[in-house]
Amino acid sequence: MRKKTDFLIIGTGIAGLTYALKVAPYGKVCIVTKGEAVESATRYAQGGIAAVMYTPDSYEKHIRDTMIAGDNLSDPEIVRITITESTERIQELIEWGVAFDKDRSGKYDLAKEGGHSEFRVLHHKDQTGAEIENVLLQRVRENKNIEIFENHFAIDLITQHHLDGEVGPGSDEEIVCYGAYVLNKANHQILTLLAKTTMVATGGAGNVYATTTNPPVATGDGIAMVCRAKGKIENMEFIQFHPTSLFNPAETPSFLITEALRGSGAVLKTRTGKEFMQKYDSRLSLAPRDIVARAIDNELKISGDEFVCLDARHLDKKVILNHFPAIYAKCLSIGIDMTKEMIPVVPAAHYTCGGIAVDRHAKTTIRNLYASGECSSTGLHGANRLASNSLLESLVFSHRAAFDAVKTMQNSKFKNGVPDWNAEGTVFNEEMILITQSLKELQGIMTNYVGIVRSNLRLKRASDRLEIIQKETEELYQKSVLTEKICELRNLISVAGLIIQMATNRKESRGLHHSIDYPGHYGE
Ligand code: FAD
Ligand code: SIN
């Protein structure tokens, strides 16, 4: 089956949906998403969106905090663009219908998170993402120019590779994207979706690790697809571990305990109730995430405990019930009354700072192809993302992408001669268990050897072991009728390879990449 559209979007999180609303007045929009439309990391965002709203906050302060958190690897121009455009983008969200909490005086109730020098995080209780996702989906569903294809899994981008053969390093031919091959999960058919412009908004890759706050859809598909299409990927060594996910080993994904709770005064302590952050940073429990996660990792190594604790017992119960009702209910559901007991927490893989390299208009290195949201690398986060800057980045860059893509679409034509997907010689794989086993092995390798603290020896081990799984999976992929699970495994393996390779190349410790072999920054 074939279909044509002016704007193809892959993904229905904040990045894909805001872009859809902005391009829809100019042409036909088709969004594919691999599960139900609501399923996304966006839906689980808790803390909120960082934006400068009132004095004494200022753009300069938010810029400085972002640069410091990013360990001076963020692109100063991109940081300035994102932050100076924040207020306008938030206003737009509010006009679409997103309700951020207000205080008694009618001003927005701003929270604080690690690395922020001011209160600047707009939120909807501790369920900001669900509020945003629901409102955006409603607006998209009302729009007659936008069609959503749920349970449609994008397999690969269509480029010259599918027509005439290889392009890439050594060739001076520019790579162009003509759309994507998409698997309809209901009938196993592969759709050839031709598009004048394509937007990859597929989110992050937390599932490359055994313990993650990310939903199961976060398997790095977009990053792997662009990599296979020979687009540029960068900064993949910077994987952010959130310091405080609820310690509840039987549960996947791990439930997040928002940093805003520490912003309201909750304090990190050992299991025996001793504060420890004073040993690591003067900002204590509210230091940037890389520092707090490493501190916890170190404390766990010293004590041999499985978790540290977050103490919120001294907070006003009304504040907890009002601002953090979902966390309160979740803790209660596993027998912890957080107003009376400390919450057991551990770090978990949370955010992919690097990804598909894009410019200030979210253009990738492939013509007619854009990327926005967590799958992209704009240069905003540098070596470590400042809390609550992610939803903001998606808003700013989807807006900028839309502006550019409308012009691109008007000057593009559909490509003739694109072949349908070739599934010749493939058979239904009856050994699904092999895929599950390889996934577990992969997550074990990444967790054991490419976690919060790294070394040359560990990275080499990871690389050697990954090679075996990669070879086995590639053989299976070539002969199997495609399923979502085998595609996801293959994508996660590609992403793991990129993380290991880029971590190996970075011969320093910076932000989220910490190597015991290179303790300082380059040149120190
Ligand atoms: P997502 O929201 O993840 O959406 C990706 C979409 O792409 C999904 O619909 C998925 O199904 C689809 N997709 C993926 N692959 C394919 C494929 N092959 N084919 C078809 N569809 C595909 N950030 C903040 O700024 N503030 C917060 O408070 C905050 N809290 C967070 C809490 C949690 C628990 C988590 C996990 C993250 C949090 N983050 C927060 C990070 C933030 O939520 C994400 O970075 C952001 O929502 C990413 O948006 P996105 O649109 O790029 O991707
Ligand atoms: C949180 O609420 O702690 C998550 C915020 C983020 O990831 O930006």
Side-chain angles (χ1 to χ4, degrees):
M1 195 185 141
R2 294 170 93 79
K3 187 172 169 61
K4 288 182 175 176
T5 186
D6 294 320
F7 301 97
L8 168 61
I9 303 168
I10 309 172
T12 44
I14 186 171
L17 294 176
T18 50
Y19 173 83
L21 289 173
K22 280 162 183 278
V23 292
Y26 304 93
K28 287 283 169 211
V29 182
C30 168
I31 317 184
V32 296
T33 191
K34 66 178 169 179
E36 278 180 53
V38 73
E39 196 49 12
S40 58
T42 301
R43 150 188 212 191
Y44 299 99
Q46 288 187 359
I49 307 193
V52 173
M53 299 298 286
Y54 313 116
T55 54
D57 200 5
S58 67
Y59 290 142
E60 292 314 314
K61 287 185 188 170
H62 192 178
I63 288 170
R64 195 166 56 237
D65 293 345
T66 302
M67 290 301 296
I68 292 172
D71 210 354
N72 281 317
L73 205 73
S74 302
D75 178 333
E77 188 201 342
I78 295 297
V79 173
R80 185 163 291 278
I81 285 176
T82 311
I83 285 160
T84 54
E85 294 180 11
S86 63
T87 324
E88 235 172 282
R89 298 283 74 80
I90 294 293
Q91 196 49 44
E92 206 164 44
L93 265 192
I94 294 168
E95 280 160 23
W96 277 327
V98 173
F100 292 116
D101 290 351
K102 292 184 173 171
D103 63 20
R104 282 209 188 122
S105 72
K107 281 170 103 179
Y108 286 105
D109 176 44
L110 303 177
K112 197 173 190 182
E113 294 181 17
H116 289 275
S117 58
E118 291 289 349
F119 285 80
R120 64 165 74 96
V121 181
L122 289 138
H123 63 95
H124 178 94
K125 304 203 175 290
D126 52 0
Q127 296 139 64
T128 313
E131 167 72 7
I132 293 173
E133 182 72 21
N134 291 338
V135 167
L136 291 177
L137 257 180
Q138 195 183 332
R139 294 281 159 266
V140 160
R141 288 201 154 116
E142 287 162 4
N143 195 307
K144 295 216 162 31
N145 265 2
I146 308 177
E147 239 183 319
I148 303 187
F149 290 82
E150 293 184 306
N151 297 308
H152 277 66
F153 181 94
I155 304 165
D156 257 328
L157 298 168
I158 304 172
T159 64
Q160 295 96 317
H161 171 78
H162 298 94
L163 287 104
D164 335 295
E166 294 284 340
V167 281
S171 157
D172 46 17
E173 189 185 348
E174 189 185 14
I175 304 171
V176 188
C177 179
Y178 307 121
Y181 290 115
V182 176
L183 171 71
N184 178 346
K185 287 164 51 181
N187 61 12
H188 299 287
Q189 287 195 345
I190 296 175
L191 177 69
T192 305
L193 231 164
L194 298 175
K196 291 184 180 166
T197 60
T198 301
M199 160 60 84
V200 181
T202 46
N207 286 287
V208 81
Y209 289 92
T211 308
T212 179
T213 62
N214 288 191
V217 292
T219 52
D221 300 341
I223 298 171
M225 277 191 276
V226 172
C227 184
R228 280 196 292 275
K230 298 193 168 71
K232 183 176 174 194
I233 310 293
E234 63 185 16
N235 289 348
M236 290 299 291
E237 66 273 39
F238 300 118
I239 298 291
Q240 183 170 74
F241 287 77
H242 196 292
T244 57
S245 77
L246 181 63
F247 176 76
N248 187 23
E251 185 176 12
T252 47
S254 302
F255 183 82
L256 187 76
I257 306 290
T258 177
E259 205 158 303
L261 192 60
R262 276 176 277 141
S264 290
V267 175
L268 283 164
K269 294 185 176 170
T270 62
R271 203 175 172 174
T272 53
K274 285 204 186 83
E275 289 187 33
F276 58 82
M277 276 309 299
Q278 70 284 356
K279 291 193 261 172
Y280 302 94
D281 196 281
S282 59
R283 289 160 289 184
L284 306 174
S285 292
L286 278 176
R289 273 183 198 168
D290 54 337
I291 296 169
V292 181
R294 253 192 321 275
I296 295 175
D297 187 65
N298 197 43
E299 288 297 315
L300 295 179
K301 280 178 180 147
I302 295 168
S303 66
D305 288 339
E306 285 185 295
F307 55 83
V308 294
C309 290
L310 191 58
D311 191 353
R313 291 174 296 182
H314 53 289
L315 303 190
D316 185 342
K317 188 165 180 180
K318 274 196 225 123
V319 171
I320 290 185
L321 294 182
N322 208 9
H323 189 160
F324 306 105
I327 293 177
Y328 178 75
K330 175 71 194 183
C331 288
L332 219 47
S333 77
I334 60 162
I336 298 165
D337 178 346
M338 63 186 274
T339 63
K340 298 192 181 116
E341 294 156 276
M342 297 199 291
I343 308 168
V345 291
V346 278
H350 180 64
Y351 186 84
T352 313
C353 289
I356 305 159
V358 293
D359 70 5
R360 44 173 28 215
H361 299 290
K363 289 203 284 203
T364 70
T365 53
I366 297 178
R367 181 140 61 92
N368 298 350
L369 183 69
Y370 296 79
S372 178
E374 190 168 337
C375 66
S376 70
S377 171
T378 60
L380 176 68
H381 309 309
N384 173 44
R385 175 176 67 99
L386 182 67
S388 288
N389 263 358
S390 165
L391 296 170
L392 175 64
E393 180 192 45
S394 303
L395 288 180
V396 169
F397 284 88
S398 285
H399 171 81
R400 295 183 138 253
F403 191 75
D404 200 89
V406 167
K407 287 182 277 165
T408 303
M409 186 281 291
Q410 285 160 349
N411 293 317
S412 299
K413 294 200 179 85
F414 294 114
K415 183 72 178 171
N416 291 323
V418 173
D420 281 336
W421 184 263
N422 181 2
E424 223 172 276
T426 56
V427 291
F428 274 104
N429 165 23
E430 284 164 10
E431 289 257 54
M432 284 303 285
I433 189 70
L434 291 180
I435 296 175
T436 318
Q437 282 163 349
S438 296
L439 176 61
K440 291 245 170 311
E441 268 180 70
L442 169 72
Q443 290 169 332
I445 292 169
M446 293 303 286
T447 303
N448 293 333
Y449 303 125
V450 201
I452 294 174
V453 177
R454 301 166 179 174
S455 71
N456 287 339
L457 180 66
R458 282 168 184 259
L459 291 174
K460 171 80 173 61
R461 278 199 178 186
S463 173
D464 291 347
R465 282 157 174 71
L466 186 73
E467 209 178 301
I468 300 168
I469 305 180
Q470 183 160 27
K471 189 165 165 286
E472 289 168 354
T473 305
E474 206 52 41
E475 281 166 9
L476 195 61
Y477 175 86
Q478 293 303 338
K479 59 180 193 211
S480 302
V481 168
L482 288 194
T483 59
E484 180 182 33
K485 289 295 158 217
I486 183 121
C487 291
E488 285 183 340
L489 173 63
R490 188 170 176 246
N491 290 337
L492 283 168
I493 291 172
S494 301
V495 166
L498 289 162
I499 298 171
I500 296 168
Q501 178 202 326
M502 293 188 196
T504 305
N505 291 346
R506 185 165 288 281
K507 309 250 181 271
E508 65 169 348
S509 287
R510 186 181 285 273
L512 296 158
H513 174 72
H514 188 85
S515 166
I516 55 174
D517 295 307
Y518 310 102
H521 285 176
Y522 281 131
E524 276 174 14

